[in-house]
Amino acid sequence: MTPRQALQQRLAALDAHLRAENPNLLPVIPTFRNFDRVLVRLGLLGPHESLTTRIPWWPMIAVLGTFSAGKSTFLNGYLGAPLQNTGNQAVDDKFTVICHGPETRREALPGTALNADPRFPFYRIADEIEKVAAGEGKRIDNYLQLKTLSGDRARGKIFIDSPGFDADDQRRSVLRLVDHIVELSDLVLVFFDGRHPEPGAMQDTLKHLVAKTVDRADARKVCYILNQIDTTAKEDNLEAVFGAWQRAIAQAGLVSGRFYALYDSKSAVAIADDAVRARYEARRDSDLAELQVRINEVEVARAYRIVGMIDSLVKELKGEIVPQLAAAMKRWRKLVLIGDAVWLALLALLFGGIASLAGGDTVSAFLTWLTQSQPVWAGGLPIGVLVALVVLAGLFGAGHFWLRSFLARRVARSLPERYGDVDLNLQQGFLRNTRFFRSIFRRKPVGWSGGAEKRIFSIREAVAEHVQRINDLFTDPAGRRNRAAAE
């Protein structure tokens, strides 16, 4: 299968998926493909690559947290199937991706199923793991596994259950996966264990799970869950425990955030006091219902995130990527000009040295020979001089093109091979501008022309139309739907 055929196959699979599960996003694909053309001409994407294969189209719900915080129990309860193992000790040391399938599989598929499939958010994640932990990328099956569920609650969504997050047993590769998951997810549920109300001992964990979300534009997608709070019923100090955790969250840098109180009714401790039990159950049921609403709304969030990603990429392209390429071209041009000057000086020294060694008489005879032949067909110009100029130009050109190639590779190494959320290749984009037939005096990157800017403008207009269309699915400011229903 050729790269072009592989891309067409992926696009056809995406089209079929959206038609079946989210047809409202079908009109977005042509906008992505239009953007692909801009990025291919800039060299940031390969000719048979597409942005559509680099973003997750399924809504994602991530469940993170500490060991024995009840993450798997919560997922089993929500999905209505005992898919994940549960227990007071660490029962799973892998990230488990759960999606809808024709049958429920408690026996997991290996991580390769996720790493090699562009439809999932872990496509080629082994390369990222390899960057932060050499040798770990080839052990992807030790980090990821895939399970399927035939129930309706899994349809159209991806759930990610993380292994216990313990600051004493953190590996850089695991942290890289956590960051990747938080970045791509539409809803992040961070679980803490209410049975251990000493958050001060977990500052490292809080720092990674909380502090990194403080400056995020989409920080609202992160929910903090104090689980197994039934253990506080004996002392009836739920508010005190909540206060301790909220102070710990504040110390990690988050001054606002929604805390939820949950516990599993099947494994809960008995609460003898009827009034206390009723109050705890009411709090649990209210918070659980709100969380379920948030989970059900992720399809809406994903639609906006996908459309918003195009607008973010446009801003990133104009405000960051093109200026970086232009700056790299300027640096390369300066280095090439300096190199040319040095090469000219070396050539001058070389010929000067040869002339000095040859002596004045030899040089004088050589100059006479250069100018003695002046045929009419050459316009009266001395043939010897013309030949000498061609030789000198050839020597200078050979050095010039070697230098520009060498310096281009050197400058390219200072640029990221993967940039941004969709892994744009700035090295490839820069090297596109340094081919032998490109002028070193070019100011704008190849592919960034008036036509490209017009195409970018049309892409932004299309984004606005997509947002309005999605808004129309969920809003009705003029009340037309109500009037139509009444009539």
Side-chain angles (χ1 to χ4, degrees), residues 256-429:
S256 64
R258 179 71 167 90
F259 250 100
Y260 297 85
L262 298 182
Y263 65 91
D264 179 45
S265 57
K266 294 180 181 178
S267 57
V269 298
I271 304 176
D273 189 300
D274 292 341
V276 173
R277 183 174 64 255
R279 192 170 70 253
Y280 271 65
E281 288 177 350
R283 176 64 186 268
R284 176 202 64 194
D285 294 344
S286 173
D287 285 2
L288 183 59
E290 185 176 333
L291 279 174
Q292 289 176 343
V293 169
R294 293 290 303 272
I295 292 174
N296 293 335
E297 289 177 345
V298 293
E299 288 96 339
V300 179
R302 172 53 57 179
Y304 281 107
R305 280 169 66 84
I306 287 174
V307 174
M309 182 176 288
I310 303 176
D311 193 51
S312 297
L313 284 172
V314 167
K315 293 175 182 176
E316 193 174 78
L317 181 66
K318 296 181 68 174
E320 299 176 26
I321 296 175
V322 169
Q324 281 193 58
L325 290 177
M329 291 167 60
K330 182 178 180 181
R331 186 164 69 253
W332 172 69
R333 177 169 58 251
K334 181 179 179 180
L335 291 173
V336 170
L337 291 175
I338 292 173
D340 284 348
V342 171
W343 179 229
L344 274 175
L346 288 174
L347 286 176
L349 287 173
L350 174 65
F351 286 109
I354 292 173
S356 177
L357 291 174
D361 292 340
T362 302
V363 171
S364 178
F366 178 71
L367 292 175
T368 300
W369 175 81
L370 284 178
T371 58
Q372 67 183 3
S373 178
Q374 300 177 0
V376 176
W377 59 265
L381 297 175
I383 293 297
V385 171
L386 292 176
V387 172
L389 289 175
V390 169
V391 171
L392 287 173
L395 287 172
F396 174 76
H400 167 78
F401 285 108
W402 181 87
L403 275 171
R404 60 183 282 159
S405 176
F406 170 77
L407 294 171
R409 293 193 299 272
R410 180 179 174 185
V411 172
R413 285 195 294 270
S414 68
L415 296 172
E417 186 177 359
R418 294 185 177 183
Y419 184 88
D421 297 335
V422 292
D423 295 337
L424 297 179
N425 194 332
L426 266 64
Q427 290 186 11
Q428 179 179 279

Side-chain angles (χ1 to χ4, degrees), residues 146-168:
L146 174 65
K147 294 183 178 181
T148 59
L149 183 70
S150 59
D152 288 338
R153 283 196 167 183
R155 190 183 302 275
K157 301 182 184 70
I158 290 178
F159 292 87
I160 302 174
D161 186 13
S162 73
F165 192 104
D166 192 331
D168 295 331

Side-chain angles (χ1 to χ4, degrees), residues 8 55 72 106 132 146 212 233 253 282 299 317 347 414 474:
Q8 294 301 324
I55 63 171
S72 297
R106 291 199 65 186
V132 297
L146 174 65
K212 286 196 171 185
E299 288 96 339
L317 181 66
L347 286 176
S414 68
F474 308 107

